[in-house]
Amino acid sequence: MVIRIRLLFDEVKHLPLIETETELIKRASEGNPEAFEVLVQRYQKYVYNLALSVIGNRDEAFDAAQETFIRAWRSLKDFRGDARFSTWIYRIAYRVSLTAVARKRPLPIDDLPEPICEDASANPEEAAENDYRQALLRRAIMNLAPAYRTALILYHLEDLSYEEIASITGVPIGTVRTHLHRGRNYLKREIVRLSGGDENEM
């Protein structure tokens, strides 16, 4: 089966109308490609966004999303419903994305989601300073260990809860809290290192 991902495009046309996700999963696990394509349509953007948050590059995130659905199709017969389907496929996406990160260094930063910040004023000097801080923050984030980087991005940029992050990454909530705490500390140090400043000034 060729997995067709239509990320950021129009919805798939002429697919069977199946009301419940349980029925979709059942049919897909029995080898029905149309049912699985509906699942791909429902989750492709979420899987892609998760991969992008971890990897930081659009092309590689697209490849990771493609690989995620290929693995999901091959493993769907083993899905028992102990967890929600969304949790199951996000975990696959997370692991695929971490593998992609481990394969390539240095990591690109151009496509990392923009940090949320206040708008710069019309003053060109202030705008330039804001751009510098944004670039510095993005580079510092991408220099963190994947677990810390993912926790920070999902919590601060994607506005997910501890519980949601734990479900996606497959770790306890306490570990999510630890990753966030340590990630913030490491991020502060990395910003200082990159800027050549004094940590006490932050």
Side-chain angles (χ1 to χ4, degrees):
M1 175 188 179
V2 177
I3 306 298
R4 293 172 290 178
I5 300 180
R6 296 170 172 82
L7 295 169
L8 307 180
F9 291 96
D10 294 337
E11 292 187 355
V12 179
K13 307 297 183 182
H14 308 303
L15 292 178
L17 180 60
I18 304 175
E19 293 185 358
T20 68
E21 185 166 276
T22 300
E23 182 64 19
L24 278 173
I25 295 170
K26 180 177 182 296
R27 294 196 186 189
S29 65
E30 293 170 350
N32 186 309
E34 288 80 13
F36 187 71
E37 191 166 5
V38 177
L39 292 171
V40 172
Q41 177 187 330
R42 289 186 179 182
Y43 287 99
Q44 59 187 0
K45 289 184 180 179
Y46 301 104
V47 167
Y48 170 78
N49 286 335
L50 173 59
L52 180 59
S53 294
V54 176
I55 299 172
N57 175 272
R58 295 183 186 278
D59 290 338
E60 293 181 15
F62 186 93
D63 291 341
Q66 183 87 4
E67 178 65 21
T68 294
F69 286 111
I70 290 173
R71 293 191 185 187
W73 170 253
R74 293 171 177 170
S75 304
L76 194 56
K77 63 182 181 299
D78 299 322
F79 177 70
R80 304 302 181 193
D82 297 331
R84 291 188 303 171
F85 180 79
S86 59
T87 300
W88 181 74
I89 200 164
Y90 291 158
R91 285 179 179 174
I92 296 175
Y94 178 69
R95 290 166 184 161
V96 169
S97 300
L98 287 184
T99 299
V101 167
R103 282 199 302 258
K104 187 173 182 179
R105 288 290 191 270
L107 292 172
I109 65 170
D110 292 342
D111 294 320
L112 185 67
E114 293 287 349
I116 300 173
C117 65
E118 296 181 359
D119 292 336
S121 70
N123 187 310
E125 292 183 0
E126 292 186 11
E129 176 66 17
N130 182 70
D131 289 343
Y132 168 75
R133 290 180 180 275
Q134 291 282 344
L136 185 66
L137 177 58
R138 294 168 68 198
R139 184 173 295 278
I141 289 175
M142 292 309 293
N143 285 346
L144 297 178
Y148 301 151
R149 179 174 66 247
T150 300
L152 288 173
I153 289 175
L154 293 180
Y155 185 79
H156 289 289
L157 300 186
E158 300 298 332
D159 199 28
L160 298 183
S161 67
Y162 296 133
E163 291 79 7
E164 289 171 318
I165 297 172
S167 295
I168 291 171
T169 58
V171 300
I173 292 177
T175 302
V176 172
R177 293 179 184 272
T178 298
H179 287 170
L180 284 169
H181 176 72
R182 292 180 179 175
R184 293 184 188 108
N185 288 336
Y186 286 132
L187 179 61
K188 180 179 179 181
R189 296 173 190 172
E190 186 63 16
I191 291 174
V192 170
R193 185 187 71 81
L194 291 173
S195 64
D198 185 348
E199 185 172 348
N200 293 325
E201 295 178 357
M202 296 188 64

